[in-house]
C-alpha cells in the first residue's frame, strides 16, 4: 500500500515537469525566430513589392521620331517641271480621290531629312510609268533622280536606290514581260551613280504569270 501511495504523486510530478519543459522549448523557439528576423513569407512580401515597384518605374523607350513629315506626293510630282507631260496626264484619280502613286521614305542621300521615292502607276494595270527621288534642301524638295521609261519601279534597299525595268519582246502582253533589268544606284558626289545591274529572263512555260527562269 505504501509503494502505491508514493507512485501517484511521482507520476503527477513527472507530467508537470514534462509540461514545463515543453512550454520552455516552445518559448525558446519563438524567441529564436524573432531574434534572427526570419526568412519566411512575411519577410519576402516587402522585398517582392519593392522589385515590382522597380519594374514598374522602368521607363519604356519611345519610338524614334520620323526624320520626315509625310508629303503630298501627287502635288510634288505635278509641280515638278522635270516630270514629263505624259506622266502628269497619267497622274489622275483612279477611284474618288485615290491616286495611283506609291511613296517610300528613307535615307538615300545623307540629307537632314528622309528622301522621298515616288512611283507613278497606271490605274488599269498598275504599270509604273515614272519613278522619282526627291531630296529635301533648304526647306523644299528637289528632284535628284527620275526614270520615265515604263514599266519602271524604284525602291529603297539598305540605303541604295534599286530600279526595276521590265523588258518586253515583240508580242509580249503587258502582263507577261520577257524579263527585267534590276539596276542599283548609290548616292555619291551629289548624284546617283550606277553601282551594278542584273538581268532576269522570265519563263512563260508555267501558267500565264512571269517568273524568273532558272
Amino acid at each position: 500500500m505504501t509503494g502505491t501511495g508514493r507512485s501517484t504523486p511521482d507520476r503527477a510530478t513527472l507530467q508537470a515537469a514534462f509540461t514545463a519543459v515543453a512550454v520552455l522549448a516552445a518559448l525558446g523557439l519563438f524567441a529564436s525566430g524573432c531574434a534572427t528576423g526570419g526568412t519566411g513569407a512575411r519577410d519576402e512580401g516587402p522585398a517582392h513589392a519593392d522589385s515590382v515597384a522597380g519594374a514598374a518605374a522602368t521607363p519604356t523607350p519611345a519610338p524614334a521620331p520620323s526624320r520626315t513629315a509625310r508629303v503630298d506626293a501627287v502635288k510634288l510630282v505635278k509641280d515638278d517641271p522635270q516630270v514629263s507631260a505624259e506622266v502628269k496626264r497619267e497622274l489622275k484619280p483612279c477611284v474618288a480621290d485615290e491616286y495611283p502613286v506609291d511613296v517610300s521614305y528613307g535615307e538615300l542621300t545623307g540629307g537632314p531629312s528622309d528622301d522621298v521615292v515616288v512611283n507613278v502607276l497606271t490605274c488599269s494595270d498598275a504599270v509604273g510609268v515614272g519613278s522619282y527621288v526627291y531630296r529635301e534642301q533648304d526647306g523644299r524638295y528637289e528632284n535628284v533622280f527620275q526614270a520615265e521609261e515604263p514599266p519602271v519601279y524604284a525602291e529603297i534597299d539598305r540605303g541604295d536606290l534599286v530600279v526595276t525595268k521590265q523588258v518586253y519582246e515583240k508580242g509580249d502582253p503587258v502582263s507577261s514581260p520577257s524579263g527585267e533589268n534590276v539596276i542599283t544606284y548609290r548616292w555619291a558626289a551629289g548624284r546617283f551613280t550606277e553601282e551594278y545591274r542584273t538581268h532576269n529572263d522570265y519563263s512563260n512555260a508555267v501558267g500565264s504569270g512571269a517568273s524568273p527562269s532558272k
Side-chain angles (χ1 to χ4, degrees):
M1 294 293 296
T2 302
T4 303
R6 285 198 305 268
S7 65
T8 300
D10 289 343
R11 284 197 299 269
T13 301
L14 290 174
Q15 288 175 352
F18 288 150
T19 300
V21 169
V23 170
L24 290 175
L27 290 175
L29 289 174
F30 177 77
S32 174
C34 292
T36 58
T39 57
R42 188 167 63 94
D43 289 340
E44 292 178 357
H48 177 69
D50 290 343
S51 64
V52 171
T58 303
T60 302
S66 173
R67 299 199 316 145
T68 297
R70 295 300 182 255
V71 302
D72 185 343
V74 173
K75 186 176 187 306
L76 202 60
V77 172
K78 284 187 172 182
D79 292 346
D80 185 355
Q82 298 185 55
V83 176
S84 68
E86 183 179 357
V87 170
K88 289 182 179 180
R89 282 195 301 269
E90 290 287 347
L91 189 52
K92 55 188 177 182
C94 298
V95 179
D97 60 349
E98 295 294 328
Y99 284 84
V101 294
D102 287 347
V103 186
S104 301
Y105 299 86
E107 185 173 351
L108 286 171
T109 67
S113 301
D114 283 341
D115 302 296
V116 184
V117 177
V118 181
N119 288 286
V120 180
L121 316 171
T122 60
C123 288
S124 57
D125 44 26
V127 171
V129 296
S131 299
Y132 309 91
V133 177
Y134 292 94
R135 183 176 191 266
E136 193 273 328
Q137 186 72 29
D138 298 328
R140 58 185 296 274
Y141 286 93
E142 61 177 359
N143 184 334
V144 293
F145 178 90
Q146 68 181 54
E148 294 183 329
E149 302 83 17
V152 62
Y153 199 89
E155 300 174 283
I156 301 171
D157 184 7
R158 290 169 291 185
D160 289 335
L161 176 66
V162 179
V163 178
T164 301
K165 297 181 178 180
Q166 291 180 325
V167 178
Y168 288 86
E169 299 295 341
K170 186 177 180 179
D172 287 345
V174 174
S175 60
S176 299
S178 294
E180 67 178 11
N181 292 321
V182 181
I183 310 167
T184 300
Y185 296 90
R186 188 164 296 166
W187 183 262
R191 64 190 182 92
F192 283 103
T193 57
E194 182 177 329
E195 286 292 304
Y196 47 84
R197 67 171 59 202
T198 59
H199 175 79
N200 298 317
D201 285 327
Y202 292 139
S203 171
N204 295 321
V206 180
S208 60
S211 60
S213 59
K214 301 294 185 182

